[in-house]
Amino acid sequence: MHILAEVMTADREALRRSFARDFGREPEVIAEAPARVNLIGEHTDYNGGFVLPVAIDRTIAVAAALRDDDLFRVRALDFGECDEFRWDTVRRAQGWRNYPRGVAWALAEAGHHLRGADLAVTGDVPPGAGLSSSAALAVAAGGAVCALSGIDVPPRELALLCQRAENAFAGVQCGIMDQFASALGVAGHALLIDCRSLDVEPVAFFGPDVAIAVVDSRAPRRLADTAYNQRRQECSEAARLLGVASLRDAGLEQLEANRERLPEPLGRRARHVISENRRVLDAVAALRRGDTATFGGLMYRSHESLRDDFEVSTPELDLLVELARATDGVLGSRLTGAGFGGCTVSLVRQTQLGEFRARILGEYGRQTGLEGEMHVCSIAGGLKV
Ligand code: GLA
């Protein structure tokens, strides 16, 4: 097996001590949820399509204990910040606060009775890098709150509530990929998710000689939420013009036959989604055969499509992918997550990792003046309470 199943990354003892110091008693539960890296299938989830993420060994952990009123107090230990809210009057806020707030709101809105609690949050997911620290925070906070209030919500339902919180509370029209990966991840496996039927199929990852290297471009992400919502709108407009319920239902021939009906950039947006869905299924077939070359080639094509047709890449991400392509031992590379900045994911022969790191980070720094950061990730399991 590629990866360790039960190793979680947060320092639970330190978290317990911080909780005890801040709230003057011991936590009753600790919930821990992983971040994710998507191997292939980008901007397909909200089009009812296919994605192939892995949950990684970078997590958000939440320690929590009940209160005897209905107040929620949340301390973000890594930011030195705190928040307070009541679930029945909770409003949208800024940044990380929206995720504990949002999940409490979504649980209450779904008819669950919440009891007030104190929560302390820590983690080792780089924030704002596109690795879904927000989904991990929502899933972990939701897991903790449910356990404390004695609410029995299966992980898949919790993930759907977290997505609802992100859509209707935080105002980002995301799909289900990040929350499903965080709640339902399986150690050593990629998750093939059919985002229409919501079927999740774990597919064993390549052997231990293939490493997952995430390189953070460390370039600021600007207006990512606005651009994301705009892409989503373009996709539904393209589907409407093609006469299908969602782009999942369209094929490339159909797109070509109707090309004059779709003003640009809608034609290119649709071409990305339709071809990306195909690439995910081809990548899963390659993964099952142990065919790293085909899988890697599909990653490069996915990147090109995201760059040229979907237009969510940046010069920094393009440079990282080109540097990877020119490095020995790299099987494939692409931007991962929503884009507009953030990270690339590369599959690299374990034996070449040292060289990969030195070359990519060195050359990236020389050409951009930015200090990229590399994380070698193992595939972890999902939410644990
Ligand atoms: C973000 C969203 C996901 C997905 C990706 C793009 O991570 O949260 O739902 O749409 O972007 O593939």
Side-chain angles (χ1 to χ4, degrees):
M1 177 76 57
H2 188 53
I3 303 312
L4 301 168
E6 296 303 326
V7 174
M8 295 309 262
T9 53
D11 181 344
R12 290 182 195 205
E13 189 43 37
L15 177 59
R16 191 197 61 71
R17 277 198 309 272
S18 304
F19 186 96
R21 187 195 58 221
D22 287 347
F23 296 115
R25 61 210 156 100
E26 291 293 312
E28 292 164 47
V29 301
I30 294 188
E32 192 162 9
R36 66 95 187 92
V37 170
N38 189 19
L39 298 178
I40 195 161
E42 222 64 85
H43 292 276
T44 44
D45 60 354
Y46 55 81
N47 289 296
F50 301 102
V51 292
L52 192 67
V54 297
I56 58 174
D57 55 346
R58 308 289 151 122
T59 64
I60 302 285
V62 174
L66 281 179
R67 297 172 54 85
D68 44 24
D69 55 18
D70 56 4
L71 186 68
F72 284 85
R73 287 194 300 174
V74 190
R75 284 192 185 276
L77 301 174
D78 307 320
F79 303 140
E81 293 175 2
C82 47
D83 190 25
E84 274 191 20
F85 61 89
R86 279 173 218 279
W87 62 263
D88 52 346
T89 55
V90 64
R91 296 266 173 284
R92 185 153 146 188
Q94 286 296 311
W96 66 268
R97 291 178 176 79
N98 272 332
Y99 299 96
R101 284 182 180 219
V103 73
W105 170 84
L107 281 161
E109 205 217 25
H112 297 294
H113 179 72
L114 298 185
R115 301 170 63 190
D118 290 328
L119 285 75
V121 181
T122 187
D124 61 354
V125 186
L131 299 179
S132 272
S133 53
S134 49
L137 171 55
V139 170
V145 166
C146 286
L148 284 178
S149 293
I151 301 171
D152 186 19
V153 178
R156 133 187 308 267
E157 300 312 317
L158 180 60
L160 287 164
L161 287 172
C162 291
Q163 182 202 17
R164 166 134 184 78
E166 178 110 36
N167 292 171
F169 190 86
V172 180
Q173 300 306 315
C174 68
I176 191 59
M177 169 169 72
D178 304 343
Q179 294 78 9
F180 260 28
S182 186
L184 304 171
V186 177
H189 290 68
L191 299 183
L192 169 61
I193 306 172
D194 177 333
C195 300
R196 171 170 281 167
S197 68
L198 299 183
D199 283 345
V200 178
E201 193 183 338
V203 184
F205 190 62
F206 296 116
D209 57 321
V210 180
I212 300 174
V214 172
V215 180
D216 186 348
S217 65
R218 306 282 287 287
R221 293 176 91 201
R222 286 200 197 88
L223 293 176
D225 291 358
T226 320
Y228 182 92
N229 288 345
Q230 182 198 9
R231 290 298 182 285
R232 185 166 179 153
Q233 236 168 25
E234 289 170 348
C235 289
S236 54
E237 179 61 5
R240 195 184 63 80
L241 293 171
L242 284 170
V244 291
S246 80
L247 289 176
R248 157 76 177 269
D249 302 308
L252 284 177
E253 308 70 40
Q254 188 182 1
L255 175 62
E256 281 319 311
N258 288 282
R259 211 48 202 263
E260 69 294 346
R261 286 210 211 157
L262 270 69
E264 285 306 343
L266 300 189
R268 280 180 298 128
R269 303 291 189 255
R271 185 167 61 187
H272 165 71
V273 174
I274 296 168
S275 62
E276 185 80 349
N277 275 328
R278 184 73 254 162
R279 281 187 288 272
V280 176
L281 298 179
D282 290 348
V284 167
L287 184 54
R288 291 204 164 105
R289 299 193 297 274
D291 179 352
T292 51
T294 300
F295 194 100
L298 290 162
M299 290 175 77
Y300 288 125
R301 267 177 271 146
S302 166
H303 184 79
E304 286 151 17
S305 178
L306 288 159
R307 181 190 65 200
D308 302 335
D309 280 352
F310 217 66
E311 296 180 290
V312 293
S313 190
T314 61
E316 292 83 8
L317 293 169
D318 294 343
L319 175 62
L320 286 172
V321 170
E322 285 320 310
L323 290 172
R325 199 196 287 269
T327 304
D328 281 348
V330 179
L331 303 162
S333 183
R334 54 185 289 280
L335 74 82
T336 186
F340 316 107
C343 297
T344 60
V345 55
S346 306
L347 300 191
V348 185
R349 293 268 173 230
Q350 195 78 42
T351 49
Q352 314 275 113
L353 266 177
E355 232 177 287
F356 175 81
R357 179 193 298 266
R359 187 184 137 75
I360 301 279
L361 296 186
E363 197 52 39
Y364 181 70
R366 263 189 293 284
Q367 293 196 31
T368 61
L370 292 165
E371 204 178 318
E373 197 180 350
M374 175 165 140
H375 310 275
V376 178
C377 299
S378 296
I379 307 181
L383 171 69
K384 293 193 178 57
V385 183

